[in-house]
Amino acid sequence: MTQSPKNVSKGFTKAFWVSNTVELFERMAYYAVFIVLTIYLSSILGFNDLEASMISGLFSGGLYLLPIFTGAYADKIGFRKSMIVAFSLLSVGYLGLGILPTLLEAAGLVEYGKATRFTGLPDSDSRWMIVPVLFVIMVGGSFIKSIISASVAKETTEANRARGYSIFYMMVNIGAFTGKTVIDPLRNVIGEQAYIYINYFSATMTILALLSVVLLYKSTHTAGEGKSMREIGQGFLRIITNWRLLILILIITGFWMVQQQLYATMPKYVIRMAGETAKPGWIANVNPFVVVCCVSFVTRLMAKRSAITSMNIGMFLIPFSALLMACGNLLGNDVISGMSNITLMMIAGIVIQALAECFISPRYLEYFSLQAPKGEEGMYLGFSHLHSFLSSIFGFGIAGVLLTKYCPDPVLFETREAWEAASTNAHYIWYYFAAIGLISALALLVFAKITQSIDKKKKAKV
């Protein structure tokens, strides 16, 4: 008989480790593509900065909105079936991202090589074929967002749940780090075609994850199989009327709006400001590297502190990260020979950002999992990602506007001098996000004080 996780205080079940392994594969696939998605949309399909940012934001936002519903459905059909559906869709979607440019090239709309040469694609409706392809990935990914984190909740106890989520978050970041390492070496070898071929790598990873689930995921735990849609609807209403969770989501959205700039602003910003030799994939990898190295230590450090206290510390770090990123355009001669100040200060800002994430994200998931009634873990953990929907829509939307205003695409200018004049204040972008981070940090501090006061009064009455 399979050992129940309720009887496990230190170790973890096989299903726990399989869940974390397939999360590793999925994150490798996702981040390999997502780190250059806005560049793919612009350099491969011919969308401008604002269009690319809005498409990426809606894609990322949908990826985090749909778990509210797919999480509830996963509670109904069980985690194993849901994982099989998810990884099947993801595999088809990533293959589609690789195949679509080949179809467009065959239609005579574009020629791909070290550099892309458009022959009508930016003015063609054919480029919008990307929308259904991204939608398939969005649906598949939305299942994963709720299933894996909910599976961790089901396969852990109160005694080891914080450590379980620490391991889960470490695996997420190992996957993110590994996925992002692929694009820069590939870009050095084959130029802009790398943005096409990276999708085949991602498809391979999700196929491996699919096989792992089919062959190895044998958990006896399913979440609420047999629930009626009415019962699911009632559970959903319980979530959306929980004012604490809704307010917390809105506050944490500010943090993630800053985090989203690793993908919305940073890749284009560093290539335009530091030159074509800049390596946005490696720069972005600073985040998961720091998280992997520090998340377990931070979790142990904050073990005796409440989840809200840990999140508060992280929230006050995030405005400083954005201010450090702005400094790259303000310093004079390069501080480190062979490394531009843009790159150096971007790395410094991302280090602080990653430390903030160590304090916030694992404890945020823990907080939500503890609010979930038995059998509704998928729904609640799906709902916990609503902050990423909001931060994607607003974060990417703002990024598109700010890039257009302060750091526009050099190809739009006749001379280098004209572009330099237009991008003199490119660092202003980061001031906006520093302000967003500071407002969010202050809001969480107020939230913590108010909720603690309410809880004390309730205990006093009892």
mmCIF file of all heavy atoms in Angstrom, residues 32-63:
data_model
loop_
_atom_site.group_PDB
_atom_site.id
_atom_site.type_symbol
_atom_site.label_atom_id
_atom_site.label_comp_id
_atom_site.label_asym_id
_atom_site.label_seq_id
_atom_site.Cartn_x
_atom_site.Cartn_y
_atom_site.Cartn_z
ATOM 1 N N ALA A 32 13.008 28.923 -22.011
ATOM 2 C CA ALA A 32 13.814 28.965 -23.231
ATOM 3 C C ALA A 32 13.116 29.793 -24.303
ATOM 4 O O ALA A 32 13.753 30.536 -25.057
ATOM 5 C CB ALA A 32 14.068 27.549 -23.738
ATOM 6 N N VAL A 33 11.798 29.677 -24.362
ATOM 7 C CA VAL A 33 11.005 30.423 -25.346
ATOM 8 C C VAL A 33 10.639 31.812 -24.848
ATOM 9 O O VAL A 33 10.757 32.808 -25.568
ATOM 10 C CB VAL A 33 9.721 29.634 -25.706
ATOM 11 C CG1 VAL A 33 8.743 30.489 -26.502
ATOM 12 C CG2 VAL A 33 10.081 28.384 -26.501
ATOM 13 N N PHE A 34 10.226 31.909 -23.585
ATOM 14 C CA PHE A 34 9.660 33.164 -23.098
ATOM 15 C C PHE A 34 10.700 34.271 -22.972
ATOM 16 O O PHE A 34 10.378 35.445 -23.143
ATOM 17 C CB PHE A 34 8.973 32.937 -21.753
ATOM 18 C CG PHE A 34 8.057 34.060 -21.345
ATOM 19 C CD1 PHE A 34 6.988 34.425 -22.148
ATOM 20 C CD2 PHE A 34 8.267 34.755 -20.169
ATOM 21 C CE1 PHE A 34 6.131 35.449 -21.788
ATOM 22 C CE2 PHE A 34 7.425 35.791 -19.789
ATOM 23 C CZ PHE A 34 6.347 36.145 -20.605
ATOM 24 N N ILE A 35 11.973 33.910 -22.690
ATOM 25 C CA ILE A 35 13.002 34.926 -22.547
ATOM 26 C C ILE A 35 13.172 35.724 -23.835
ATOM 27 O O ILE A 35 13.567 36.892 -23.809
ATOM 28 C CB ILE A 35 14.344 34.288 -22.111
ATOM 29 C CG1 ILE A 35 15.409 35.366 -21.861
ATOM 30 C CG2 ILE A 35 14.851 33.292 -23.130
ATOM 31 C CD1 ILE A 35 15.081 36.323 -20.759
ATOM 32 N N VAL A 36 12.858 35.133 -24.984
ATOM 33 C CA VAL A 36 13.022 35.840 -26.260
ATOM 34 C C VAL A 36 11.704 35.952 -27.025
ATOM 35 O O VAL A 36 11.712 36.202 -28.230
ATOM 36 C CB VAL A 36 14.088 35.148 -27.144
ATOM 37 C CG1 VAL A 36 15.477 35.313 -26.551
ATOM 38 C CG2 VAL A 36 13.763 33.677 -27.368
ATOM 39 N N LEU A 37 10.578 35.786 -26.339
ATOM 40 C CA LEU A 37 9.301 35.812 -27.051
ATOM 41 C C LEU A 37 9.052 37.161 -27.734
ATOM 42 O O LEU A 37 8.620 37.209 -28.891
ATOM 43 C CB LEU A 37 8.145 35.487 -26.107
ATOM 44 C CG LEU A 37 6.746 35.461 -26.753
ATOM 45 C CD1 LEU A 37 6.691 34.464 -27.910
ATOM 46 C CD2 LEU A 37 5.677 35.139 -25.708
ATOM 47 N N THR A 38 9.319 38.268 -27.037
ATOM 48 C CA THR A 38 9.090 39.575 -27.663
ATOM 49 C C THR A 38 10.034 39.778 -28.851
ATOM 50 O O THR A 38 9.663 40.398 -29.854
ATOM 51 C CB THR A 38 9.274 40.725 -26.655
ATOM 52 O OG1 THR A 38 10.579 40.675 -26.093
ATOM 53 C CG2 THR A 38 8.230 40.649 -25.547
ATOM 54 N N ILE A 39 11.264 39.249 -28.745
ATOM 55 C CA ILE A 39 12.209 39.351 -29.864
ATOM 56 C C ILE A 39 11.751 38.458 -31.019
ATOM 57 O O ILE A 39 11.828 38.843 -32.190
ATOM 58 C CB ILE A 39 13.629 38.974 -29.419
ATOM 59 C CG1 ILE A 39 14.096 39.913 -28.300
ATOM 60 C CG2 ILE A 39 14.598 39.037 -30.596
ATOM 61 C CD1 ILE A 39 15.469 39.578 -27.742
ATOM 62 N N TYR A 40 11.265 37.262 -30.702
ATOM 63 C CA TYR A 40 10.713 36.352 -31.730
ATOM 64 C C TYR A 40 9.586 37.052 -32.489
ATOM 65 O O TYR A 40 9.530 37.016 -33.723
ATOM 66 C CB TYR A 40 10.206 35.088 -31.035
ATOM 67 C CG TYR A 40 9.417 34.125 -31.905
ATOM 68 C CD1 TYR A 40 10.053 33.082 -32.583
ATOM 69 C CD2 TYR A 40 8.034 34.229 -32.021
ATOM 70 C CE1 TYR A 40 9.326 32.178 -33.360
ATOM 71 C CE2 TYR A 40 7.302 33.336 -32.793
ATOM 72 C CZ TYR A 40 7.945 32.316 -33.455
ATOM 73 O OH TYR A 40 7.218 31.429 -34.226
ATOM 74 N N LEU A 41 8.690 37.687 -31.750
ATOM 75 C CA LEU A 41 7.554 38.350 -32.384
ATOM 76 C C LEU A 41 7.993 39.498 -33.276
ATOM 77 O O LEU A 41 7.398 39.742 -34.342
ATOM 78 C CB LEU A 41 6.580 38.848 -31.323
ATOM 79 C CG LEU A 41 5.833 37.761 -30.540
ATOM 80 C CD1 LEU A 41 5.129 38.351 -29.325
ATOM 81 C CD2 LEU A 41 4.828 37.043 -31.438
ATOM 82 N N SER A 42 9.047 40.216 -32.878
ATOM 83 C CA SER A 42 9.524 41.352 -33.667
ATOM 84 C C SER A 42 10.475 40.921 -34.783
ATOM 85 O O SER A 42 10.282 41.284 -35.951
ATOM 86 C CB SER A 42 10.231 42.372 -32.762
ATOM 87 O OG SER A 42 9.332 42.943 -31.846
ATOM 88 N N SER A 43 11.494 40.126 -34.436
ATOM 89 C CA SER A 43 12.541 39.777 -35.411
ATOM 90 C C SER A 43 12.132 38.678 -36.370
ATOM 91 O O SER A 43 12.601 38.638 -37.513
ATOM 92 C CB SER A 43 13.813 39.358 -34.667
ATOM 93 O OG SER A 43 14.305 40.407 -33.871
ATOM 94 N N ILE A 44 11.254 37.778 -35.948
ATOM 95 C CA ILE A 44 10.854 36.654 -36.802
ATOM 96 C C ILE A 44 9.517 36.919 -37.492
ATOM 97 O O ILE A 44 9.335 36.563 -38.663
ATOM 98 C CB ILE A 44 10.769 35.353 -35.975
ATOM 99 C CG1 ILE A 44 12.130 35.054 -35.320
ATOM 100 C CG2 ILE A 44 10.328 34.179 -36.837
ATOM 101 C CD1 ILE A 44 13.280 34.893 -36.291
ATOM 102 N N LEU A 45 8.582 37.566 -36.791
ATOM 103 C CA LEU A 45 7.247 37.758 -37.357
ATOM 104 C C LEU A 45 6.941 39.205 -37.748
ATOM 105 O O LEU A 45 5.888 39.461 -38.349
ATOM 106 C CB LEU A 45 6.183 37.263 -36.361
ATOM 107 C CG LEU A 45 6.263 35.781 -35.987
ATOM 108 C CD1 LEU A 45 5.106 35.397 -35.070
ATOM 109 C CD2 LEU A 45 6.274 34.889 -37.220
ATOM 110 N N GLY A 46 7.799 40.157 -37.391
ATOM 111 C CA GLY A 46 7.627 41.526 -37.870
ATOM 112 C C GLY A 46 6.692 42.413 -37.081
ATOM 113 O O GLY A 46 6.260 43.457 -37.582
ATOM 114 N N PHE A 47 6.380 42.072 -35.834
ATOM 115 C CA PHE A 47 5.549 42.939 -34.988
ATOM 116 C C PHE A 47 6.414 44.059 -34.405
ATOM 117 O O PHE A 47 7.601 43.850 -34.116
ATOM 118 C CB PHE A 47 4.915 42.144 -33.848
ATOM 119 C CG PHE A 47 3.861 41.159 -34.300
ATOM 120 C CD1 PHE A 47 4.162 39.806 -34.421
ATOM 121 C CD2 PHE A 47 2.576 41.584 -34.602
ATOM 122 C CE1 PHE A 47 3.197 38.899 -34.835
ATOM 123 C CE2 PHE A 47 1.604 40.685 -35.019
ATOM 124 C CZ PHE A 47 1.914 39.331 -35.130
ATOM 125 N N ASN A 48 5.819 45.252 -34.204
ATOM 126 C CA ASN A 48 6.570 46.335 -33.568
ATOM 127 C C ASN A 48 6.613 46.128 -32.056
ATOM 128 O O ASN A 48 5.999 45.196 -31.524
ATOM 129 C CB ASN A 48 6.001 47.713 -33.940
ATOM 130 C CG ASN A 48 4.567 47.922 -33.451
ATOM 131 O OD1 ASN A 48 4.194 47.481 -32.364
ATOM 132 N ND2 ASN A 48 3.762 48.602 -34.251
ATOM 133 N N ASP A 49 7.321 47.012 -31.340
ATOM 134 C CA ASP A 49 7.519 46.839 -29.900
ATOM 135 C C ASP A 49 6.207 46.769 -29.131
ATOM 136 O O ASP A 49 6.028 45.917 -28.251
ATOM 137 C CB ASP A 49 8.356 47.996 -29.334
ATOM 138 C CG ASP A 49 9.835 47.831 -29.612
ATOM 139 O OD1 ASP A 49 10.249 46.722 -29.969
ATOM 140 O OD2 ASP A 49 10.577 48.825 -29.461
ATOM 141 N N LEU A 50 5.293 47.686 -29.439
ATOM 142 C CA LEU A 50 4.034 47.721 -28.709
ATOM 143 C C LEU A 50 3.200 46.481 -28.985
ATOM 144 O O LEU A 50 2.640 45.868 -28.070
ATOM 145 C CB LEU A 50 3.242 48.982 -29.075
ATOM 146 C CG LEU A 50 1.982 49.253 -28.252
ATOM 147 C CD1 LEU A 50 2.304 49.316 -26.763
ATOM 148 C CD2 LEU A 50 1.313 50.549 -28.706
ATOM 149 N N GLU A 51 3.132 46.075 -30.265
ATOM 150 C CA GLU A 51 2.375 44.865 -30.623
ATOM 151 C C GLU A 51 2.985 43.630 -29.966
ATOM 152 O O GLU A 51 2.260 42.792 -29.412
ATOM 153 C CB GLU A 51 2.363 44.689 -32.142
ATOM 154 C CG GLU A 51 1.540 45.716 -32.893
ATOM 155 C CD GLU A 51 1.749 45.653 -34.393
ATOM 156 O OE1 GLU A 51 2.818 45.171 -34.829
ATOM 157 O OE2 GLU A 51 0.847 46.100 -35.135
ATOM 158 N N ALA A 52 4.314 43.534 -30.015
ATOM 159 C CA ALA A 52 4.991 42.362 -29.430
ATOM 160 C C ALA A 52 4.765 42.305 -27.920
ATOM 161 O O ALA A 52 4.532 41.230 -27.351
ATOM 162 C CB ALA A 52 6.480 42.414 -29.741
ATOM 163 N N SER A 53 4.822 43.468 -27.272
ATOM 164 C CA SER A 53 4.606 43.499 -25.825
ATOM 165 C C SER A 53 3.179 43.126 -25.461
ATOM 166 O O SER A 53 2.950 42.383 -24.500
ATOM 167 C CB SER A 53 4.936 44.893 -25.273
ATOM 168 O OG SER A 53 6.318 45.146 -25.337
ATOM 169 N N MET A 54 2.219 43.618 -26.216
ATOM 170 C CA MET A 54 0.822 43.317 -25.910
ATOM 171 C C MET A 54 0.501 41.841 -26.147
ATOM 172 O O MET A 54 -0.189 41.212 -25.340
ATOM 173 C CB MET A 54 -0.101 44.203 -26.740
ATOM 174 C CG MET A 54 -0.083 45.672 -26.344
ATOM 175 S SD MET A 54 -0.376 45.959 -24.573
ATOM 176 C CE MET A 54 -2.012 45.245 -24.375
ATOM 177 N N ILE A 55 1.019 41.276 -27.238
ATOM 178 C CA ILE A 55 0.788 39.848 -27.504
ATOM 179 C C ILE A 55 1.421 39.000 -26.398
ATOM 180 O O ILE A 55 0.800 38.074 -25.865
ATOM 181 C CB ILE A 55 1.349 39.444 -28.883
ATOM 182 C CG1 ILE A 55 0.548 40.117 -30.006
ATOM 183 C CG2 ILE A 55 1.312 37.919 -29.063
ATOM 184 C CD1 ILE A 55 1.186 39.974 -31.373
ATOM 185 N N SER A 56 2.656 39.337 -26.043
ATOM 186 C CA SER A 56 3.349 38.582 -24.984
ATOM 187 C C SER A 56 2.634 38.727 -23.654
ATOM 188 O O SER A 56 2.508 37.762 -22.895
ATOM 189 C CB SER A 56 4.795 39.082 -24.847
ATOM 190 O OG SER A 56 5.518 38.892 -26.037
ATOM 191 N N GLY A 57 2.166 39.945 -23.369
ATOM 192 C CA GLY A 57 1.462 40.175 -22.109
ATOM 193 C C GLY A 57 0.152 39.424 -22.032
ATOM 194 O O GLY A 57 -0.183 38.842 -20.989
ATOM 195 N N LEU A 58 -0.607 39.421 -23.123
ATOM 196 C CA LEU A 58 -1.875 38.688 -23.143
ATOM 197 C C LEU A 58 -1.636 37.185 -23.048
ATOM 198 O O LEU A 58 -2.381 36.470 -22.375
ATOM 199 C CB LEU A 58 -2.656 39.023 -24.413
ATOM 200 C CG LEU A 58 -3.235 40.441 -24.464
ATOM 201 C CD1 LEU A 58 -3.759 40.755 -25.872
ATOM 202 C CD2 LEU A 58 -4.360 40.601 -23.441
ATOM 203 N N PHE A 59 -0.589 36.716 -23.712
ATOM 204 C CA PHE A 59 -0.235 35.294 -23.628
ATOM 205 C C PHE A 59 0.133 34.915 -22.194
ATOM 206 O O PHE A 59 -0.412 33.966 -21.618
ATOM 207 C CB PHE A 59 0.930 34.998 -24.566
ATOM 208 C CG PHE A 59 1.626 33.688 -24.286
ATOM 209 C CD1 PHE A 59 1.003 32.480 -24.574
ATOM 210 C CD2 PHE A 59 2.889 33.663 -23.720
ATOM 211 C CE1 PHE A 59 1.642 31.267 -24.306
ATOM 212 C CE2 PHE A 59 3.540 32.470 -23.457
ATOM 213 C CZ PHE A 59 2.905 31.270 -23.750
ATOM 214 N N SER A 60 1.049 35.676 -21.606
ATOM 215 C CA SER A 60 1.473 35.397 -20.238
ATOM 216 C C SER A 60 0.313 35.573 -19.266
ATOM 217 O O SER A 60 0.127 34.772 -18.342
ATOM 218 C CB SER A 60 2.626 36.333 -19.857
ATOM 219 O OG SER A 60 3.031 36.122 -18.529
ATOM 220 N N GLY A 61 -0.497 36.621 -19.490
ATOM 221 C CA GLY A 61 -1.639 36.857 -18.621
ATOM 222 C C GLY A 61 -2.647 35.727 -18.678
ATOM 223 O O GLY A 61 -3.138 35.255 -17.647
ATOM 224 N N GLY A 62 -2.953 35.270 -19.881
ATOM 225 C CA GLY A 62 -3.890 34.160 -20.029
ATOM 226 C C GLY A 62 -3.371 32.888 -19.394
ATOM 227 O O GLY A 62 -4.120 32.093 -18.823
ATOM 228 N N LEU A 63 -2.059 32.721 -19.474
ATOM 229 C CA LEU A 63 -1.418 31.552 -18.880
ATOM 230 C C LEU A 63 -1.644 31.495 -17.377
ATOM 231 O O LEU A 63 -1.685 30.419 -16.774
ATOM 232 C CB LEU A 63 0.088 31.606 -19.183
ATOM 233 C CG LEU A 63 0.934 30.368 -18.965
ATOM 234 C CD1 LEU A 63 0.466 29.237 -19.851
ATOM 235 C CD2 LEU A 63 2.395 30.693 -19.249
#
